[in-house]
Amino acid sequence: MELPHLSPSASTKLSGALPLLAVASAVRGQLTGTLKIQSDKIVRYWEFSVGNCVNVASNAKSELPGSFLQKEGRFNAAQFDAYLAEIQKTKSAHHWDIAKRLAALTDAEVVTLRERWALRIVSTLAASSPSEISFEPKPGREGTILLSGIRLLMKAAEPIQAADIPKLCDAFTPSSVVHADEKREKTFEPLPLDAEEKGLLTVVKNSKTIQEVFSSSFLKPDRITSLLFAYFLAGLVEFESAEVAAQKTHEASLSDAQRTLHQQMAAKAQSLDKTSYYDWIGVTPKSSSEEIERKATEIMELYAAPSIEKLFQERDKTIPGLLLKKLEEARRILLDPTKRKEYDGFLAGGKTGSFAATSVSLREEEVVRQAEALLASNQADQAVALVDRALRDVPNSVTLIIRYAQLLLKTKGPADSAARDRALAELKRGMTFKPPKPEVFEAVGAWCLALGQKPKAMDAFKRALELAPFSAPARDGLQEADSANAPRILVDILFQHRGSLDFYQLLGVDPRANVRTIQNAYRDCTKRFHPDRFFQSEAELKEHSKEIYKRMVEAYVTLKNPSKRSAYDEKRGGTISDSGSGAGSDEPSHERVSTASTPETRQGKKFYEIALAAIREGKLDSAKLNLQLGLQVEPNSRALKEKLNELLGTASSAKP
């Protein structure tokens, strides 16, 4: 039978000294039977009756009763030889009966000597290295108590150095809370302790921490440590780290609903590596993007609420932030059709948890983000080297090809022949990939412009616009390459794609663009596409320009009005926009890269934009709250931190 594991409390871990812990299990469990502990060829037995030791045996010659009596001076050499001969001849297990007869011991002497002999064997417990420990229950086992369970443990704990006890019991620290278990104490009555030992137990009952016990007792520190550990092994006292005690007090202060939510969040944090993104959000692989968006936003708003922070103590305060980060990761992957398809393949391979480390597209995004950060900190060469290394590892990455070419143009320029040749060679490869990417042709056009090759630039930008007619970089590039013919070409392309372009694409702005950006884009469109520009053109072109311009006016009227824009966004698919006049992005989404000017995550952007709107309305407390919520989702966002610091500085300067 395997001994029950000694687990005094959920907060205490025990290690080492396995024989000692096995004896403690038998005593605590008030077991009846035989405990066998084998170390190499030496086998020792402890027989228990309701947790008390009634017999001890050992097959080691040095631990036989006769050897003990010889060391005690009760056996001479002749008596010891006679003792050994008789036990070998008769194979008798009644060693003490033989010893009593040969040494002419009285019954009282046998009792005293036998206890001392047993204690000597017990003292070997802590130092032994067992190869086998087993317990054979023997119900009904009776016998005169040789050693009480508590005395057995106290003797066994004596050889352990005070400095080693914290290694055996991780909760044995000065700041740990100490509890006396009076119910267990009653099970040992009458308690077999001397006055000194009972006095220390009384001190424990009147102390809150182990440190207080040391401060209140007159015993020496090593003696206190040894006795406390023995009491702990017997179950007379329990230790609990200050952290765990504080956690229990905190949990007791929560309502049932708060406690349930706390447990659910803690459990979810523990299972993230074993479950899928769908499980993280609470949806299925068949769920629509709308359902995923709704559910993820709902959970993230719950976890980002200020009240959630109060549910967690210091040691697990990172749980809400971890869950928000992981939920944003899951939401971002599952709402991107390409990444979701890649992730479903990841699941089909039998994997779960985060696949960010294995996803090629996510690794590419991270490389680009790091490169932009290096560039922003004036480390251009490091940024180029970073993308170069990544591109050599993944040579067919269109994303890395584009970013590498853009970086070389920005940092080296056309005068650097090596940079020029490498960039154009990579872009040439990128143009052969299927499906074609408009950003590749935008980058080609930018290099051609820099090299003064305007006809080639025109061809590249036209190709980019055929693939993405809403591309602002391609529109601007075309205008720069040939200002006279660019409007005509753009009108033709926009007219061909008019049925598939939404208002944002028509104006060439990002759905997150602010009103000022939209106004600037509209003024630019007016210059390029106003029908008056095509007054002398052929009739067909004039009609096309009128229709395109009419749609642009409609787009501007809608998007500059907050209520109309919100209604349009909802109809369009719930895209979050900033309808205020604060800072915003001037770049379309396919051109945007991670910068410090705005938060990176969708949820972070949402809180940031709400905060900006609140600032414009003078609701500074609301703005501060939303910035703090944003930092829960995206703790390293410089935009959120700077705006919050700006608000806090404003509030501080307003005080008298």
Side-chain angles (χ1 to χ4, degrees), residues 317-374:
K317 265 195 182 314
T318 58
I319 287 179
L322 169 67
L323 292 178
L324 284 169
K325 181 179 179 181
K326 292 296 187 179
L327 285 167
E328 171 58 27
E329 176 186 317
R331 188 203 67 81
R332 180 164 54 92
I333 299 304
L334 298 184
L335 290 182
D336 184 311
T338 302
K339 290 185 176 66
R340 184 173 180 178
K341 182 178 180 181
E342 183 183 356
Y343 179 65
D344 287 341
F346 172 82
L347 291 182
K351 301 176 182 178
T352 54
S354 170
F355 89 128
T358 64
S359 169
V360 173
S361 59
L362 291 181
R363 287 205 303 274
E364 292 170 352
E365 288 180 5
E366 180 60 18
V367 168
V368 171
R369 187 195 67 76
Q370 292 178 7
E372 292 299 327
L374 288 170

Side-chain angles (χ1 to χ4, degrees), residues 12-17 21 160-173 225 229:
T12 304
K13 294 179 182 177
L14 296 168
S15 61
L21 301 183
I160 301 176
Q161 296 295 314
D164 292 331
I165 288 178
K167 301 175 185 176
L168 300 176
C169 175
D170 71 339
F172 194 93
T173 64
T225 300
F229 187 56

Side-chain angles (χ1 to χ4, degrees), residues 364 387-405 420-437 439-441 443-444:
E364 292 170 352
V387 181
D388 187 16
R389 286 195 302 271
L391 185 55
R392 293 179 189 280
D393 290 338
V394 192
N396 292 331
S397 168
V398 177
T399 299
L400 294 179
I401 287 174
I402 294 166
R403 292 307 182 204
Y404 188 55
R420 178 192 66 220
D421 293 344
R422 177 74 192 281
L424 293 178
E426 292 296 341
L427 289 172
K428 186 175 181 180
R429 283 198 314 113
M431 287 191 292
T432 65
F433 295 164
K434 304 295 181 183
K437 294 282 187 180
E439 295 92 340
V440 173
F441 295 95
V444 171

Side-chain angles (χ1 to χ4, degrees), residues 110-142:
V110 169
V111 170
T112 301
L113 290 168
R114 188 179 177 210
E115 180 177 334
R116 287 168 56 192
W117 163 74
L119 288 173
R120 181 168 295 181
I121 296 177
V122 169
S123 66
T124 65
L125 272 171
S128 61
S129 301
S131 56
E132 180 185 344
I133 297 178
S134 62
F135 186 84
E136 182 182 353
K138 291 184 178 180
R141 167 69 181 175
E142 295 181 358

Side-chain angles (χ1 to χ4, degrees), residues 133 166 182 187 230 260 335 343 362 427 434 458 551 588 601 636 646:
I133 297 178
E182 297 190 33
T187 65
T260 298
L335 290 182
Y343 179 65
L362 291 181
L427 289 172
K434 304 295 181 183
M458 281 285 290
R551 286 277 290 161
T601 64
N636 295 321
E646 180 184 320

Side-chain angles (χ1 to χ4, degrees), residues 20 34 38 127 186 194 324 326 340 349 370 412 468-470 473 616 622 627 641:
L20 180 59
T34 301
Q38 182 170 345
K186 290 179 180 179
D194 60 28
L324 284 169
K326 292 296 187 179
R340 184 173 180 178
Q370 292 178 7
K412 305 293 184 181
F470 50 82
R616 290 191 292 272
S622 175
L627 290 170
K641 288 179 180 178

Side-chain angles (χ1 to χ4, degrees), residues 9 37 105 118 218 268 282 287 360 382 529:
S9 69
I37 300 178
L105 301 173
F218 62 86
K268 181 172 282 190
S287 296
V360 173
Q382 292 89 328
F529 305 111

